Amino acid sequence: MIPYGRQDITQDDINAVVDVLKSDFVTQGPVVPKFEQAVADYCGSNYAVAMNSATSVLHLACLALGLSKGDWLWTTPITFVASANCGLYCGARVDFVDIDSQTYNMCPKALEAKLIKAKAEGRLPKIVVPVHFSGQSCDMAAIHKLSQQYNFKLIEDASHAIGGKYCGEAIGCSRYSDITVFSFHPVKIITTAEGGMAVTNDKDLTDRMSLLRSHGVTRDLSRMTGKSDGPWYYQQIELGFNYRITEIQAALGLSQLQRLDDYVRRRHELAERYNTLLSKLPIIVPWQSPNSYSAMHLYVIRLNLDKINTTHRAVFETLRQMGIGVNLHYIPIHTQPYYQAMGFEQGDFPEAERYYNEAISLPIFPTMTEQQQDQVVSALEKSMCK
Ligand SMILES: *Cc1c(COP(=O)(O)O)cnc(C)c1O
């Protein structure tokens, strides 16, 4: 089976991990801050906080921004469930903004329309989470402008998008949002096995996320109430979690980061080659905004169902049977049973649902060969002329 995505682990990565295993610290040592600094520098942001997953980062980003019961968090229905669940973890309510039909990202026009309505009803969101779907940035200039107008906070879910650019600057540059979140799951652009990171220009948010990442416990005298009892002393000043990443993972991430630009370049080569090879088929290839340099995490095609004699499901099944590990990113979150139980219904976000009925993610990963790609293309051709 040719997978839709997979990690690339080199001898350098293995050496970096082995070095940590032989060192004094396998967790809470010097490599985590080094990894954080390297990602912050790469993005051109001041601060970074690494954690054991992007899901953890999303949770603490929401808490650091003060999300709580009675508040609203809005995101897109076409994302992994974690982008929405982070709001529920904080006791907030979650709602969605439909997608743009070309980029499949949160549509700024739909966002504005929903904000106008929410303002009239007195239920404006506290946080909006735009997701840079497939690695292509959302229209952050427009969304940022709305955040100032309607006074909400912004968390960019850039789980797909490290290594991408928007208007010439790295995604994660912190120009348009409060916090940007990256994931280092093995299918993503670079990996730490499990892991994630927040980048931000805000020192206060950095301190809050760092505190919550490790039980809400501090050894910093300036943050304690009263005086220290002695050199052993620490204080718990908030209810935090254990969301720490290990030294082993950070070493892997730091080593992977050296190849980030090469990975994204290779993904672009493969995407351009797909664009050419697929140009005669009745499908829509991923549209790219001129403002954006995508990290190209996913290569999503949409079937033109009017022009083929088979169904979306049949094409998908045939591809799987032929050893092509296609996938579907994503099942619209509002159609999940857990969200339907909160009152969402089929038909609530029609653009997202239309997308779901036509989309297929084709395999794309940096070590994919052209022969493998040809195999995917030929299987796709066969699957559609049934
Ligand atoms: C992968 C992913 C996450 C969750 O990342 P983990 O590191 O696995 O917790 C969140 N949002 C999006 C859009 C993702 O693709």
Side-chain angles (χ1 to χ4, degrees):
M1 185 77 85
I2 302 173
Y4 86 85
R6 73 157 289 158
Q7 73 281 8
D8 169 44
I9 306 290
T10 65
Q11 191 58 47
D12 282 350
D13 294 343
I14 294 166
N15 293 345
V17 167
V18 169
D19 285 348
V20 162
L21 288 170
K22 291 179 176 168
S23 77
D24 290 337
F25 299 98
V26 290
T27 190
Q28 295 180 285
V31 185
V32 171
K34 218 170 141 191
F35 180 38
E36 291 171 333
Q37 188 63 51
V39 172
D41 290 347
Y42 179 89
C43 297
S45 273
N46 291 341
Y47 310 102
V49 184
M51 296 183 214
N52 58 359
S53 74
T55 303
S56 301
V57 179
L58 285 162
H59 181 195
L60 297 195
C62 288
L63 286 179
L65 287 166
L67 191 73
S68 66
K69 199 164 187 285
D71 293 329
W72 285 94
L73 176 144
W74 292 2
T75 187
T76 163
I78 299 297
T79 182
F80 187 56
V81 289
S83 316
N85 289 345
C86 57
L88 302 181
Y89 296 158
C90 301
R93 284 176 293 176
V94 168
D95 203 352
F96 303 96
V97 179
D98 210 350
I99 59 168
D100 174 83
S101 62
Q102 271 189 302
T103 60
Y104 318 140
N105 276 328
M106 176 183 286
C107 172
K109 288 205 182 74
L111 175 60
E112 183 168 26
K114 198 175 174 91
L115 286 165
I116 290 168
K117 195 157 166 278
K119 189 173 183 186
E121 294 167 359
R123 34 178 266 173
L124 283 168
K126 180 156 198 169
I127 296 178
V128 174
V129 182
V131 179
H132 303 318
F133 179 79
S134 77
Q136 171 162 243
S137 177
C138 294
D139 182 353
M140 288 310 298
I143 294 173
H144 177 251
K145 201 167 150 217
L146 290 169
S147 77
Q148 306 232 294
Q149 219 175 321
Y150 289 90
N151 196 30
F152 56 82
K153 304 290 185 187
L154 276 171
I155 299 171
E156 293 174 67
D157 184 342
S159 290
H160 300 180
I162 194 167
K165 293 191 178 85
Y166 172 69
C167 293
E169 286 182 295
I171 290 175
C173 71
S174 299
R175 183 180 299 283
Y176 306 97
S177 67
D178 298 282
I179 297 169
T180 301
V181 179
F182 298 123
S183 170
F184 306 129
H185 184 276
V187 298
K188 307 288 165 70
I189 308 287
I190 59 170
T191 191
T192 59
E194 296 281 356
M197 202 179 293
V199 292
T200 177
N201 272 347
D202 189 313
K203 175 79 166 64
D204 184 49
L205 291 174
T206 306
D207 290 344
R208 274 147 83 177
M209 287 188 284
S210 308
L211 185 73
L212 292 168
R213 165 179 67 176
S214 203
H215 308 283
V217 158
T218 186
R219 292 179 182 275
D220 178 354
L221 282 175
S222 68
R223 303 180 75 179
M224 290 184 187
T225 58
K227 277 210 285 279
S228 166
D229 291 350
W232 63 86
Y233 194 62
Y234 58 81
Q235 271 188 354
Q236 185 189 339
I237 56 175
E238 293 216 40
L239 183 61
F241 306 84
N242 181 352
Y243 281 173
R244 293 186 304 255
I245 193 168
T246 66
E247 292 282 289
I248 304 165
Q249 291 167 295
L252 178 56
L254 194 54
S255 180
Q256 291 253 315
L257 188 64
Q258 314 309 311
R259 297 192 304 282
L260 172 55
D261 290 340
D262 296 337
Y263 284 157
V264 174
R265 211 172 300 124
R266 176 65 184 152
R267 286 174 175 278
H268 274 265
E269 280 171 17
L270 290 165
E272 274 155 36
R273 196 160 177 275
Y274 265 140
N275 289 345
T276 309
L277 295 171
L278 300 176
S279 61
K280 298 269 162 14
L281 295 182
I283 60 170
I284 301 166
V285 299
W287 184 80
Q288 299 295 303
S289 155
N291 285 337
S292 142
Y293 175 72
S294 173
M296 218 47 98
H297 166 57
L298 300 174
Y299 188 90
V300 177
I301 58 163
R302 279 178 79 162
L303 306 182
N304 190 337
L305 292 170
D306 293 338
K307 292 204 180 142
I308 58 176
N309 254 337
T310 178
T311 63
H312 177 241
R313 181 172 179 152
V315 171
F316 194 100
E317 280 175 346
T318 307
L319 285 166
R320 282 272 179 96
Q321 277 156 17
M322 294 177 83
I324 312 299
V326 286
N327 222 308
L328 211 176
H329 301 92
Y330 292 92
I331 303 157
I333 299 180
H334 69 283
T335 69
Q336 293 288 356
Y338 193 83
Y339 281 83
Q340 300 248 302
M342 296 185 315
F344 292 104
E345 286 173 5
Q346 203 75 31
D348 282 349
F349 304 98
E351 206 60 65
E353 291 168 34
R354 205 168 303 135
Y355 163 88
Y356 176 62
N357 291 330
E358 300 171 357
I360 298 178
S361 303
L362 300 184
I364 189 166
F365 49 95
T367 55
M368 186 181 194
T369 64
E370 302 198 342
Q371 288 92 315
Q372 285 178 314
Q373 194 175 29
D374 292 342
Q375 214 179 312
V376 174
V377 171
S378 123
L380 185 62
E381 281 165 350
K382 287 200 189 96
S383 71
M384 289 200 297
C385 12
K386 282 217 163 155

